[in-house]
């Protein structure tokens, strides 16, 4: 079965650079969630989109922005990167916009900021 | 604000033994999920619990949900080395715009040794 695809899988950036993470949800899924997991931490919700509209916002820094496109893929844009942004970034997708419907997680993008 | 607490955070088990991981949450929710994560990997869905009294079993793992007590348990029976991983519980939002996002517990690092 098709799964959530994230690219790139690994990304190394310098401080103050920008990064773009991409997420391709499972076909027919209309909802995308972004989570950030620091080393040894639990995943923290960043932002979600349902039918291409932002549906909820968590602890996402103002330096980050995201959107969902007409084909339902989503991009997380991160600017002025800081050392503390180094983390695993997961995208999850589901159908229907609420958590009664199981979220399926992608493999993650490991971002390292030097 | 929804808070999710797991205990224990670290669990060292002998093969063949039984143990239970507890997940408490602070506000009303009837959606609880258990995930497994291997080091550096994605989150693998184990159980989806959507109603009070729900009990699900898969192999040596059994999960239950008591929404009145705001408590879920993950019971491990006759542990084997392959179960070594980090286990997270996650709770769905209570409603409104937070309906979809998941709030995770801190995770329980399980190590099974001979």
């Amino acid at each position: 079965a098709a799964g959530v695809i994230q690219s790139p899988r690994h990304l190394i950036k310098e401080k103050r650079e920008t990064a773009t993470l991409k997420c391709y949800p499972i076909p027919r899924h209309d909802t995308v969630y972004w989570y950030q997991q620091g080393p040894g931490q639990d995943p923290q919700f960043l932002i979600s989109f349902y039918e291409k509209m932002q549906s909820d916002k968590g602890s996402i820094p103002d330096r980050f922005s995201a959107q969902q496109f007409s084909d339902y893929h989503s991009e997380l844009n991160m600017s002025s990167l800081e050392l503390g942004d180094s983390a695993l970034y997961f995208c999850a997708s589901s159908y229907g916009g609420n958590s009664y419907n199981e979220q399926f997680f992608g493999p993650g993008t490991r971002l390292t900021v030097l | 604000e929804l808070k999710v607490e797991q205990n224990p955070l670290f669990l060292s088990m002998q093969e063949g033994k039984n143990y239970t991981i507890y997940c408490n949450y602070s506000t009303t929710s009837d959606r609880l999920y258990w995930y497994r994560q291997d080091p550096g990997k994605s989150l693998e869905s184990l159980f989806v619990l959507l109603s009070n009294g729900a009990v699900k079993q898969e192999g040596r793992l059994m999960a239950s949900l008591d929404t009145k007590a705001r408590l879920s348990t993950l019971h491990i029976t006759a542990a084997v080395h392959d179960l070594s991983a980090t286990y997270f519980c996650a709770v769905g939002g209570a409603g409104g715009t937070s309906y979809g996002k998941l709030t995770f517990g801190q995770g329980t690092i399980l190590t099974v040794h001979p």
Side-chain angles (χ1 to χ4, degrees), chain A residues 37 98-100 102-103 106, chain B residues 30-31 33 37 42 45 99-100:
Chain A
Q37 186 178 28
N98 66 65
S99 62
Y100 274 110
E102 187 176 357
Q103 293 180 27
Chain B
D30 55 3
R31 301 179 299 287
Y33 304 82
Q37 186 177 39
S42 186
S45 177
Y99 206 61

Side-chain angles (χ1 to χ4, degrees), chain A residues 6 9 33 35 37 40-45 48 55-58 88 90 97-108 110, chain B residues 30-31 33 35 37 39-48 50 88 91-93 97-107:
Chain A
Q6 290 187 247
R9 296 291 307 277
Y33 306 84
Y35 294 85
Q37 186 178 28
Q41 304 293 314
D42 56 285
Q44 295 289 317
F45 171 76
S48 62
S55 53
D56 198 2
K57 195 171 181 180
L88 259 175
F90 289 109
N98 66 65
S99 62
Y100 274 110
N101 298 319
E102 187 176 357
Q103 293 180 27
F104 294 86
F105 283 78
R110 181 173 294 282
Chain B
D30 55 3
R31 301 179 299 287
Y33 304 82
Y35 290 92
Q37 186 177 39
K41 302 294 186 182
S42 186
L43 293 151
E44 174 192 353
S45 177
L46 295 175
F47 298 106
V48 179
L50 298 179
F88 289 98
V91 179
T97 58
S98 297
Y99 206 61
K101 76 173 191 182
L102 297 179
T103 300
F104 285 81
Q106 310 98 308

Side-chain angles (χ1 to χ4, degrees), chain B residues 56-90:
Chain B
K56 292 196 174 179
Q57 182 163 7
E58 181 73 34
R60 300 174 189 276
L61 301 178
M62 183 173 71
S64 66
L65 177 62
D66 181 343
T67 59
K68 291 183 171 59
R70 297 176 188 165
L71 171 68
S72 179
T73 61
L74 180 66
H75 186 73
I76 303 156
T77 302
V80 293
H81 179 71
D82 285 352
L83 290 179
S84 297
T86 299
Y87 292 83
F88 289 98
C89 64

